[in-house]
Amino acid sequence: MSASTYASVLGLTAAVVLLCAVVTLWRRTLRAIIRVLAVQGLALACVAMVVGLRRHDTGLIVVAVLVLAAKAIVVPMLITRVVRHDPASRETQPLVNVPASLVAAGALTILAFAVTRSVTALVPTPAGRLIPLGLAAMLVGFFALVTRRKAVSQIVGILLVDNGVALVAFLATAGVPLIVELGASLDVLLAVVVLQVLAARLRSLLGSFDLDRLTELHD
Amino acid sequence: MNAGSHTVVAVIASCSQVVAVAVGGLVLIGLMRKVRAHLEGRVGAPILQPMFDVRKLFRKERLRPDQATWIFPLAPVVLVATVAVAAAITPLVTTGPALSTGSDFFALVYLLLVGSTLLALAGMDAGTAFGGMGSSRAVTIGALAEPALLVTILALSATAHSSNLPAIVRATLADPGSVATPQRLFALGALLVVIVAESGRLPVDNPATHLELTMVHEAMILEYAGPDLAFVTVGEAMRLTLLLGVFVNLVAPWGIATTTNVAAVAVGLVTLVAKVAVVGLALAVFEVFTAKLRLFRLPELLAGAFVLALLGVVSGLVVK
Amino acid sequence: MTAASLVVSGAVLGLTAGVGGATLPRRSRVAVGAVLVWGACALEAVAAIHVLVSGHRVVLHSAELLPFTGVNLVLTPLGAFFVLLVAMVAVPATLHGIGYAHHGLDSRMAAFAVPIFVTVLLLVPAAGSVATFMVLWELMALTSLSLVLVDHGRREATRSAGTWYAVITHIGAAAILTAFLILAAHSGGQSFAALRLHARHLAPVVRALVFVLALVGFGSKAGVVPFHVWLPKAHPEAPSPVSALMSGAMVALGVYGIILVGDVILGGGSLWWWLVVLALGAVSALFGSLHAASSTDMKRLLAYSTTDNVGLALIGLGASGLFDATRHPQLAALGLVAALVLLLNHAAFKGALFLSAGSVQSATGTRDLDQLGGLLRRMPQTGALFLGAAAAICALPPLNGFIGEWLLFQSLLHGADIGNTAGEIAIPLAVAAMALTAGLTVVAFVKAAGIGFLGRPRSEGADAAVEVPGTMRLAVGLLVGVCVVLGVVPTLVLPAVERAVRAVLPRVAPLSLAHGVDLQLVGLRGVLEPAALAAAMAGALFGLGALRRALARRPAPRVAEAWGCGRQLQTARMQYTATSFAEPVQRVFDDVLRPVQDLDVSHVAESRYFIEAVTFHNAVDDGIERGLYRPVIGAVRRWGQVARQLQPGSVHRYLAYGLGALVIVLTALTVIR
């Protein structure tokens, strides 16, 4: 593909990743949030595929397929299983209300751009110029982790952070070695499984997923 | 004279020292009591009364408390033995008694400590309240007197650069003026206080009392009878005489034999007897005019002795 | 066999003993372990003697045993001396442990830990590099900690003692490690030889810092005030053979560490370092002896007495450094000899005392002096041996304590005019401290021996006591025998001590002592003739004993009741107790000790004029613990409470901390370019 198409496709997919992160802050129902996560996974896979195709790097293409399978399909499925037992679950009032969260997301994105100015100077390729998007996605995901009440939303937050980091990895270094990506994905998978179990336990103990009720450590 | 006769004379001198201290000790005690009696307006017992007492005690039977162990009969013998060894090696009559090379002031102090420690243990062996009380007070006084004693030795050893007693005496003989230095005087003053404390004389302890509130030494030896008590009496008399003998030879060593011939030893013996008698009498007179201190005033007295000794050391440093 | 192979085989044998102890059945565990440990001690001792006699060091290097750094063992004459000291204590202690086994030493943990502990104690003086030393040091701490806690299931006090010991020993280890790391960073290698080579190029401030850290670290292991608070807690709670090892051998290794860093590696150092050591020694000696004199628990008394003796050794060490810094090499060597002799003597008599205290505890079930009494009649040999060891620690001639005190006194005496004002003031004060300590030690041990062994039994346990098995008596007897031999013929070991000292202070011309059986200071005027003195005392004793027998009418004394002021019956209650014996001393030193006294009078129900019971409780707790440690612990707790506000239990709060920190860092990075 030509340089300009490459640049624009890359930019689009990276932006979609960030956009999904922001939308997570906006949507209220847990099912919707999981769907957005799946879309983000898909966009991430596309980024990897595009970069791999551009560089004719078969390893990266394999990674892209793996990312698709893992982040876009398997993980959302696992989380959906947790939510299935509670069909009408909505994110109740988050700690920071929606408009304020969106404003915060914007601020974090600006911060990300400010911080990575020197980094983008180092990597003048089209991919390199999009690194701030990855960092912003990571910060927004962290913010979601902090301000959501339900356990499931927090699992989603961790996954958003992980996706942001993966995006930065693909953009900055044209991917990471296969083995590293496999290892990282396995870690995340394991984390999700554990969190799923814990969330189920939380529900059975407290009757809901509200993490603010888990204050036994106080005292 | 060859080495063999040196040794013979040294042994003779040592033996004469032991005998002088043993016999002379009892006579000294009798003399002190006589002087006290006269000053108090009494006639008093004969001067040789302590010797008669000892002879009488040897004729009585030995007793021991039912709970006592082998410590009880051992203590009086050890007391006399250690004081006798100490008397043999210190420079009383001559500066060259037997074993004089090892005649260390520090060793002397610890030799005497063996006897008093064992006596304290014997006091506890009886299993009575008196014994425990006497031992407790005696070891406390001993502990409080130690700092003064060792710092005094430090001060007195400074001139001779050694704690070897014959060396100190010889250094004093060689330089008579050194006795009048503030260093020596302070140290000797402290030594006198410590001697009074260690031998259990007034104002630290009253050797004539049998009231439990005032007893220290007497309480420890309350259970002894017969020959054991005789040994204890002799041992205590020897200890006092020995300490006074060391004291006088540090203050005024003139007359002590410096050469190894029998005539010098005889002269030394006579001068020792005279000097110790004088000091003993002075002590007896002092005792008449003193009351026994309360037990818990003793730390003040002994701390005062310690400060005196420390002053002795410090003034030695300053006047260098 | 070369000395190097002896060292290695000794270590291997010790490890085998540990493994054997853990795997064998209960009945043979302790005995087999003990025998193998004796073998290890013998091998190491032979290697040490070889080093001392020939003057050559033994060097062993193995790169495989420890990753990255390898194991580096260098046995110098100084180290060899300490190996012999450890072996001297370890053999009787393990022998005693065979009889003491049912008090917890026959568990798998203990049977494994004791041989490992002894092996590590034997190897620490031979460590030649930082890594080897720290690994062995930590192993020593861990094994001794597990041995302290051997009885923890039964008593709360044991757990508390273990906690204090663990915390203080690890703070000490951290200090030591820091000191070594500072030295290693400047020398580019971690063997002690390399450290020594580069240490002289360090800035004085750095050298001072290293010394202070080493003093804190090794001082806490040696039991120097104010880091001694674990000693009176841990030593009583450990089983007696372990207490003997810890008190006799482990604290000596603490002093070895100070000599290692101060003299060997840093090569002497400044004057004020050694004044600090001298001051700490004097304070420790006074504090230890004072608390020993007021303790009523037999083993706590012995533990405080350990602090006292370590203080005396530090006085000797401080004096030695002082003289070295003011260029009096002869005196410096004498001071160091005195310190080493004091440590050797302490290992011998403190080992004997702890082991016999263990025998007493085994026979009576208690170690509270107020419950004991009359044991000399019921346990004649143990009692006699305890009295012998007590006489040794009171420095009575002709035993070994006297030799050590004489050497210390001579070094201080001849240093009275060294030309440095601070030193000249310090010396008489050190002499005074030494003297008062000696006096208070006599109080403490007359109390321990008199109340514990003489008189009537104060409890049923004491009344029912029987003599302990022969192995336990033999163990104590061995150590008391060593005390007697070292007292009468000290010139047997003094050449070895001189050789060790000459390895540390090589600038000195032939050193200060020995020849024949008399002690003679070379170049200074001071002579002691211990053998002649002992012979004279023995002769006088026998002569007078015979005289008494000849003069007395009947040789054997008649048993009669003691004077009871007209009372007919004497009971055990009428005797002095340990509390009452120490009361005069407590009164004199009231301000320092601050005893807590509690008097409880209960009246008969019918009338307040009649008293039913009076209870008096007197407790002296450790002044430094009360005044220094408890406020610090309290302040730390209060800060902890304040910090708790940061932890309300809300997961969101914790996550917010994380995000906040990340944002702050990123912002800071952008701003600070």
Side-chain angles (χ1 to χ4, degrees):
Chain A
M1 62 184 84
S2 72
S4 55
T5 25
Y6 164 68
S8 38
V9 168
L10 200 60
L12 190 63
T13 40
V16 166
V17 170
L18 179 59
L19 193 63
C20 289
V22 174
V23 165
T24 322
L25 293 175
W26 176 44
R27 300 292 297 178
R28 287 221 168 83
T29 52
L30 288 172
R31 282 186 184 274
I33 290 174
I34 294 165
R35 254 180 260 137
V36 169
L37 190 68
V39 170
Q40 192 185 46
L42 176 64
L44 194 60
C46 290
V47 168
M49 182 74 73
V50 167
V51 176
L53 283 173
R54 174 71 172 173
R55 288 169 202 252
H56 309 290
D57 184 352
T58 34
L60 199 52
I61 296 173
V62 171
V63 167
V65 172
L66 276 172
V67 164
L68 183 70
K71 292 187 198 273
I73 301 171
V74 173
V75 169
M77 226 167 52
L78 280 175
I79 304 179
T80 318
R81 214 186 289 167
V82 176
V83 180
R84 202 186 311 142
H85 298 289
D86 201 10
S89 56
R90 289 167 71 86
E91 173 71 35
T92 53
Q93 191 69 7
L95 285 170
V96 179
N97 63 23
V98 173
S101 311
L102 293 171
V103 169
L108 287 171
T109 313
I110 294 171
L111 178 64
F113 269 92
V115 168
T116 48
R117 243 188 311 151
S118 47
V119 176
T120 43
L122 275 175
V123 190
T125 62
R129 276 196 286 274
L130 297 170
I131 288 176
L133 289 177
L135 186 62
M138 199 198 85
L139 286 173
V140 170
F142 203 152
F143 184 80
L145 183 62
V146 173
T147 55
R148 303 293 116 174
R149 279 189 206 277
K150 296 257 186 213
V152 175
S153 319
Q154 299 200 316
I155 299 174
V156 167
I158 294 175
L159 292 166
L160 288 173
V161 172
D162 182 57
N163 287 348
V165 171
L167 181 61
V168 173
F170 290 142
L171 290 172
T173 62
V176 292
L178 184 65
I179 200 82
V180 175
E181 181 61 38
L182 269 177
S185 306
L186 198 64
D187 267 341
V188 175
L189 201 61
L190 195 64
V192 172
V193 171
V194 169
L195 285 168
Q196 175 201 3
V197 171
L198 284 176
R201 188 148 166 72
L202 186 68
R203 196 197 140 84
S204 65
L205 264 179
L206 299 178
S208 82
F209 288 120
D210 194 340
L211 269 160
D212 255 353
R213 297 186 49 178
L214 192 71
T215 54
E216 270 174 26
L217 281 176
H218 180 246
D219 180 20
Chain B
M1 303 185 88
N2 57 13
S5 52
H6 278 282
T7 328
V8 167
V9 175
V11 169
I12 293 176
S14 288
C15 291
S16 68
Q17 278 178 189
V18 175
V19 168
V21 166
V23 171
L26 292 171
V27 173
L28 179 70
I29 298 285
L31 190 64
M32 288 169 74
R33 284 187 195 162
K34 189 77 167 169
V35 166
R36 281 193 66 174
H38 271 289
L39 285 173
E40 289 170 0
R42 298 182 278 122
V43 174
I47 293 181
L48 294 182
Q49 184 61 38
M51 297 192 72
F52 300 147
D53 288 337
V54 167
R55 192 179 62 181
K56 172 188 75 175
L57 283 171
F58 267 113
R59 284 204 234 114
K60 290 188 176 258
E61 66 175 335
R62 288 177 69 188
L63 294 178
R64 80 172 175 85
D66 49 353
Q67 289 299 314
T69 63
W70 49 267
I71 298 272
F72 191 78
L74 182 66
V77 180
V78 168
L79 177 67
V80 178
T82 50
V83 180
V85 170
I89 65 173
T90 37
L92 295 173
V93 161
T94 167
T95 56
L99 303 180
S100 68
T101 42
S103 167
D104 196 275
F105 208 152
F106 190 82
L108 172 71
V109 169
Y110 274 85
L111 262 180
L112 295 177
L113 189 64
V114 176
S116 17
T117 308
L118 214 53
L119 208 59
L121 276 176
M124 306 191 72
D125 201 16
T128 59
F130 289 110
M133 185 182 72
S135 302
S136 154
R137 292 175 175 183
V139 292
T140 308
I141 295 173
L144 294 173
E146 285 271 334
L149 188 53
L150 285 191
V151 177
T152 305
I153 298 178
L154 191 69
L156 291 171
S157 310
T159 39
H161 295 287
S162 166
S163 60
N164 185 280
L165 267 170
I168 300 176
V169 173
R170 259 174 277 168
T172 319
L173 273 176
D175 182 17
S178 65
V179 178
T181 56
Q183 174 186 20
R184 271 301 185 98
L185 289 173
F186 285 143
L188 289 169
L191 186 61
L192 197 57
V193 174
V194 169
I195 289 176
V196 165
E198 291 279 333
S199 15
R201 313 293 306 178
L202 286 167
V204 173
D205 182 19
N206 187 348
T209 183
H210 281 83
L211 300 171
E212 51 263 32
L213 288 177
T214 59
M215 285 198 283
V216 176
H217 181 73
E218 289 298 311
M220 275 196 301
I221 62 170
L222 198 63
E223 299 300 326
Y224 280 119
D228 293 328
L229 187 57
F231 269 85
V232 172
T233 316
V234 171
E236 287 301 317
M238 285 173 76
R239 192 215 292 253
L240 176 65
T241 315
L242 172 66
L243 288 172
L244 287 179
V246 170
F247 178 75
V248 299
N249 278 337
L250 289 171
V251 174
W254 305 283
I256 196 170
T258 43
T259 51
T260 48
N261 62 52
V262 185
V265 168
V267 167
L269 188 60
V270 169
T271 45
L272 176 74
V273 167
K275 287 185 286 189
V276 171
V278 166
V279 176
L281 285 176
L283 200 60
V285 171
F286 171 71
E287 285 188 0
V288 171
F289 296 101
T290 322
K292 182 179 155 347
L293 275 178
R294 265 196 67 194
L295 183 68
F296 294 111
R297 293 257 177 269
L298 282 178
E300 299 165 9
L301 176 69
L302 293 168
F306 169 65
V307 170
L308 259 184
L310 203 59
L311 279 177
V313 172
V314 169
S315 50
L317 293 173
V318 168
V319 175
K320 226 186 318 161
Chain C
M1 287 184 97
T2 63
S5 55
L6 283 173
V7 172
V8 172
S9 38
V12 169
L13 195 56
L15 289 170
T16 321
V19 170
T23 50
L24 287 172
R26 188 171 283 253
R27 287 167 55 123
S28 50
R29 223 173 254 172
V30 180
V32 171
V35 173
L36 290 175
V37 164
W38 298 341
C41 288
L43 290 168
E44 298 284 347
V46 170
I49 293 174
H50 173 86
V51 169
L52 282 170
V53 165
S54 68
H56 300 307
R57 348 167 108 196
V58 168
V59 180
L60 278 168
H61 190 90
S62 154
E64 293 86 34
L65 284 173
L66 272 181
F68 299 117
T69 50
V71 168
N72 194 343
L73 291 177
V74 176
L75 194 58
T76 58
L78 181 69
F81 171 78
F82 280 92
V83 168
L84 283 176
L85 190 151
V86 171
M88 181 186 77
V89 182
V91 170
T94 41
L95 177 62
H96 191 267
I98 298 176
Y100 199 76
H102 55 279
H103 284 264
L105 281 181
D106 55 357
S107 67
R108 264 186 222 281
M109 187 68 204
F112 174 71
V114 169
I116 305 289
F117 184 41
V118 174
T119 315
V120 173
L121 281 172
L122 287 167
L123 289 176
V124 165
S129 71
V130 174
T132 321
F133 188 89
M134 288 314 299
V135 167
L136 289 171
W137 194 259
E138 272 300 303
L139 265 178
M140 188 172 79
L142 287 172
T143 43
S144 53
L145 179 64
S146 64
L147 286 169
V148 166
L149 290 173
V150 128
D151 235 358
H152 72 283
R154 282 178 243 167
R155 297 165 53 97
E156 160 60 31
T158 319
R159 280 195 290 275
S160 157
T163 315
W164 278 90
Y165 179 37
V167 171
I168 294 184
T169 203
H170 278 92
I171 294 177
I176 297 171
L177 185 60
T178 316
F180 277 141
L181 287 178
I182 295 176
L183 284 172
H186 286 268
S187 68
Q190 44 122 359
S191 74
F192 287 155
L195 293 187
R196 183 190 179 135
L197 207 56
H198 290 91
R200 52 184 89 134
H201 305 304
L202 288 174
V205 176
V206 177
R207 284 160 63 95
L209 178 66
V210 166
F211 185 74
V212 169
L213 282 170
L215 191 59
V216 168
F218 288 116
S220 67
K221 182 64 76 172
V224 172
V225 164
F227 314 113
H228 69 286
V229 282
W230 63 274
L231 250 176
K233 289 180 196 287
H235 283 205
E237 298 301 329
S240 295
V242 175
S243 301
L245 278 170
M246 285 169 73
S247 231
M250 202 169 72
V251 300
L253 291 181
V255 183
Y256 164 72
I258 301 177
I259 301 177
L260 179 70
V261 174
D263 281 323
V264 176
I265 295 182
L266 291 174
S270 343
L271 187 77
W272 67 267
W273 296 4
W274 303 105
L275 278 177
V276 168
V277 170
L278 191 69
L280 280 179
V283 171
S284 304
L286 285 172
F287 191 84
S289 57
L290 191 56
H291 275 271
S294 14
S295 284
T296 57
D297 177 332
M298 196 186 253
K299 289 177 78 170
R300 203 173 141 95
L301 188 153
L302 294 175
Y304 272 118
S305 168
T306 302
T307 300
D308 163 14
N309 283 82
V310 166
L312 287 177
L314 280 187
I315 290 178
L317 185 60
S320 161
L322 195 64
F323 299 141
D324 193 37
T326 50
R327 299 184 216 302
H328 291 83
Q330 203 82 7
L331 289 173
L334 182 58
L336 194 54
V337 166
L340 292 180
V341 169
L342 282 167
L343 286 175
L344 185 66
N345 290 343
H346 176 247
F349 47 63
K350 191 48 67 65
L353 286 167
F354 262 113
L355 292 181
S356 38
S359 303
V360 166
Q361 188 173 3
S362 177
T364 61
T366 176
R367 49 178 216 247
D368 185 2
L369 279 172
D370 286 338
Q371 308 275 3
L372 296 173
L375 292 176
L376 191 56
R377 303 188 106 204
R378 290 158 179 77
M379 304 168 71
Q381 284 106 15
T382 305
L385 291 170
F386 185 92
L387 285 169
I393 199 172
C394 292
L396 299 179
L399 296 171
N400 60 350
F402 173 63
I403 308 290
E405 296 264 336
W406 185 81
L407 284 169
L408 185 63
F409 185 73
Q410 290 300 309
S411 72
L412 289 173
L413 172 68
H414 286 103
D417 52 353
I418 51 173
N420 177 291
T421 336
E424 286 179 357
I425 294 175
I427 285 177
L429 293 176
V431 170
M434 190 186 132
L436 187 56
T437 304
L440 288 172
T441 308
V442 170
V443 174
F445 282 93
V446 167
K447 178 177 74 171
I451 304 281
F453 289 85
L454 303 176
R456 280 165 225 274
R458 293 175 181 78
S459 71
E460 282 168 13
D463 199 12
V466 289
E467 186 60 272
V468 288
T471 47
M472 295 166 85
R473 280 176 277 163
L474 179 62
V476 184
L478 282 174
L479 283 170
V480 174
V482 168
C483 288
V484 172
V485 167
L486 287 181
V488 176
V489 218
T491 47
L492 280 179
V493 289
L494 282 173
V497 177
E498 278 186 81
R499 187 69 61 86
V501 167
R502 218 178 310 160
V504 175
L505 297 173
R507 293 170 271 175
V508 173
L511 192 62
S512 324
L513 305 173
H515 305 305
V517 279
D518 299 339
L519 262 68
Q520 191 161 339
L521 301 183
V522 165
L524 304 161
R525 269 194 274 172
V527 182
L528 189 68
E529 299 172 346
L533 208 58
M537 285 172 76
L541 195 63
F542 283 119
L544 285 167
L547 182 69
R548 177 172 66 184
R549 189 166 308 193
L551 288 178
R553 276 202 357 219
R554 243 191 313 189
R558 177 168 72 90
V559 175
E561 225 182 272
W563 172 243
C565 248
R567 260 191 324 268
Q568 278 300 94
L569 187 62
Q570 294 274 24
T571 68
R573 294 295 315 280
M574 292 164 191
Q575 297 173 116
Y576 256 49
T577 61
T579 316
S580 39
F581 193 90
E583 202 258 351
V585 170
Q586 250 181 47
R587 271 242 224 156
V588 172
F589 293 100
D590 192 32
D591 295 327
V592 177
L593 290 173
R594 289 185 211 276
V596 174
Q597 290 176 339
D598 194 29
L599 184 63
D600 188 30
V601 179
S602 63
H603 302 268
V604 171
E606 287 81 15
S607 163
R608 271 195 69 86
Y609 289 107
F610 296 100
I611 293 178
E612 189 174 11
V614 177
T615 313
F616 174 71
H617 186 77
N618 181 33
V620 175
D621 61 350
D622 192 312
I624 303 252
E625 185 186 327
R626 188 192 340 113
L628 180 64
Y629 283 79
R630 293 206 187 278
V632 169
I633 294 175
V636 168
R637 281 222 178 100
R638 276 195 299 279
W639 278 101
Q641 298 279 33
V642 168
R644 252 206 207 145
Q645 311 292 341
L646 291 171
Q647 265 203 322
S650 158
V651 177
H652 292 107
R653 187 80 75 90
Y654 305 151
L655 289 169
Y657 290 152
L659 180 62
L662 182 62
V663 169
I664 290 172
V665 167
L666 288 175
T667 329
L669 278 175
T670 18
V671 169
I672 306 165
R673 193 59 65 85

